[in-house]
Amino acid sequence: FYGTVSQPSQILIGAFNRKPCLDIGFRTRWKGLTAMLTMQQSNSANQYSLFYHTLFDRNKFPTINGNLPGHYSRAIHSSLSYAHTTGPWTLKAEALFDSEDLQRYDVIHDTCAASMIPMLVFTDRGAYYNETYYAIHYGGHITSTYRYDTPIGQGNILTGIQLENFQFLDYTFSMGTDFMDSFLSYPKDSIFNMGSELSISAFAQMKQQLGKKLIFNSGLRYDHKVRYNKEKINAFSPRVSLIYRPTRGINLKIGYSRSFVDAPYLYRAS
């Protein structure tokens, strides 16, 4: 015999968690200097449980890092740049700092029959898991551009260096049942390896007009990277192209290029 009992309740659809959602920033300039700071923060509440896609009561679950179940993220970007032009020369420099803070707090189930639960570690009430991630990235680059004129057309040469450092500082994973504090947690190095990666690059590019309808473009980049496990990578990335413009609005391009793109840190450090 099965029946239902009606009672007043609420359902959250596309709701946001306790912390406010923000997208703010400012930018200011003084002579050749430009400073910028931005912050994006969001905290959304899930409508359904993770495994069984059923409704659940968020207020039954414990608060973790000030949040009820949901997905929280905060990204901060700051930079300071300088630009100066003297005659045919233009110098640009920029320093930057980024940070990213993520939390994924998901309800596995609220209340369901024990026979439906695939893992014996869970009870039939209030199961959840929580993971957090924190990383920073900082670096800078300097570029110099020289513009010139020749009998066959204008051209420019750009050279520069770039330095970046990525640091994966913290990762936590925990699980809980019966709407209580977590009973199982993993050390932060057991799932992902904490560490930092340093990248140093140098590059050069030349662009030359060949009459009114042809443009020759070439470049070379060198990347030196030291991964979190001390592995060192050295890569050269050349490119060359020829652009033909028979009429305004039509560009025909032929070229060759090769580039170095490393896999994301979390794919390699797990």
Side-chain angles (χ1 to χ4, degrees), residues 202-213:
F203 50 89
Q205 172 184 295
M206 184 184 73
K207 184 177 182 181
Q208 174 66 56
Q209 289 186 337
L210 303 175
K212 295 182 178 181
K213 296 185 177 182

Side-chain angles (χ1 to χ4, degrees), residues 124-186:
D124 60 347
R125 302 174 66 248
Y128 66 89
Y129 86 92
N130 176 74
E131 59 180 342
T132 62
Y133 161 105
Y134 180 67
I136 63 173
H137 166 257
Y138 59 87
H141 65 265
I142 300 174
T143 62
S144 173
T145 304
Y146 175 71
R147 296 175 178 81
Y148 59 88
D149 290 320
T150 68
I152 58 175
Q154 297 179 335
N156 63 72
I157 297 175
L158 181 146
T159 59
I161 57 174
Q162 182 176 354
L163 184 146
E164 295 182 340
N165 186 273
F166 173 84
Q167 295 186 9
F168 189 47
L169 298 178
D170 190 37
Y171 177 84
T172 62
F173 182 89
S174 59
M175 306 179 77
T177 60
D178 203 24
F179 306 108
M180 299 178 65
D181 292 338
S182 60
F183 72 93
L184 176 66
S185 61
Y186 293 89

Side-chain angles (χ1 to χ4, degrees), residues 96-117:
L96 59 89
F97 175 86
D98 298 322
S99 68
E100 188 173 23
D101 188 3
L102 304 175
Q103 180 183 7
R104 185 182 179 94
Y105 182 2
D106 280 312
V107 171
I108 298 174
H109 62 78
D110 187 319
T111 303
C112 62
S115 60
M116 296 173 58
I117 304 172

Side-chain angles (χ1 to χ4, degrees), residues 14-256:
F16 293 94
N17 223 326
R18 295 180 175 180
K19 295 180 180 179
C21 293
L22 303 172
D23 188 353
I24 59 175
F26 80 90
R27 181 181 181 185
T28 182
R29 297 187 63 183
W30 181 73
K31 295 184 178 180
L33 288 172
T34 302
M36 183 171 63
L37 175 65
T38 62
M39 183 178 74
Q40 294 177 322
Q41 177 174 292
S42 65
N43 202 355
S44 61
N46 297 333
Q47 184 178 352
Y48 299 105
S49 62
L50 181 64
F51 287 169
Y52 301 105
H53 303 288
T54 57
L55 299 174
F56 61 90
D57 187 347
R58 297 174 66 247
N59 294 318
K60 291 181 180 179
F61 291 85
T63 299
I64 302 177
N65 296 341
N67 295 317
L68 289 171
H71 296 168
Y72 167 77
S73 67
R74 180 176 62 189
I76 298 175
H77 170 76
S78 59
S79 65
L80 179 64
S81 60
Y82 174 77
H84 180 71
T85 299
T86 301
W89 292 93
T90 297
L91 174 68
K92 294 182 179 180
E94 182 179 27
L96 59 89
F97 175 86
D98 298 322
S99 68
E100 188 173 23
D101 188 3
L102 304 175
Q103 180 183 7
R104 185 182 179 94
Y105 182 2
D106 280 312
V107 171
I108 298 174
H109 62 78
D110 187 319
T111 303
C112 62
S115 60
M116 296 173 58
I117 304 172
M119 291 179 285
L120 297 177
V121 72
F122 293 134
T123 66
D124 60 347
R125 302 174 66 248
Y128 66 89
Y129 86 92
N130 176 74
E131 59 180 342
T132 62
Y133 161 105
Y134 180 67
I136 63 173
H137 166 257
Y138 59 87
H141 65 265
I142 300 174
T143 62
S144 173
T145 304
Y146 175 71
R147 296 175 178 81
Y148 59 88
D149 290 320
T150 68
I152 58 175
Q154 297 179 335
N156 63 72
I157 297 175
L158 181 146
T159 59
I161 57 174
Q162 182 176 354
L163 184 146
E164 295 182 340
N165 186 273
F166 173 84
Q167 295 186 9
F168 189 47
L169 298 178
D170 190 37
Y171 177 84
T172 62
F173 182 89
S174 59
M175 306 179 77
T177 60
D178 203 24
F179 306 108
M180 299 178 65
D181 292 338
S182 60
F183 72 93
L184 176 66
S185 61
Y186 293 89
K188 66 180 183 180
D189 283 322
S190 62
I191 298 179
F192 295 105
N193 293 301
M194 303 296 106
S196 63
E197 296 192 332
L198 175 67
S199 299
I200 302 174
S201 306
F203 50 89
Q205 172 184 295
M206 184 184 73
K207 184 177 182 181
Q208 174 66 56
Q209 289 186 337
L210 303 175
K212 295 182 178 181
K213 296 185 177 182
L214 284 176
I215 299 176
F216 175 76
N217 199 336
S218 64
L220 179 65
R221 181 183 179 96
Y222 168 73
D223 291 287
H224 173 75
K225 186 169 188 176
V226 182
R227 287 178 166 175
Y228 72 95
N229 56 3
K230 307 305 179 184
E231 179 187 1
K232 297 181 179 179
I233 299 176
N234 298 288
F236 285 95
S237 303
R239 63 181 179 85
V240 61
S241 64
L242 187 64
I243 303 170
Y244 175 59
R245 300 186 297 181
T247 61
R248 179 175 296 183
I250 297 178
N251 291 335
L252 302 177
K253 180 178 179 180
I254 184 172
Y256 166 82

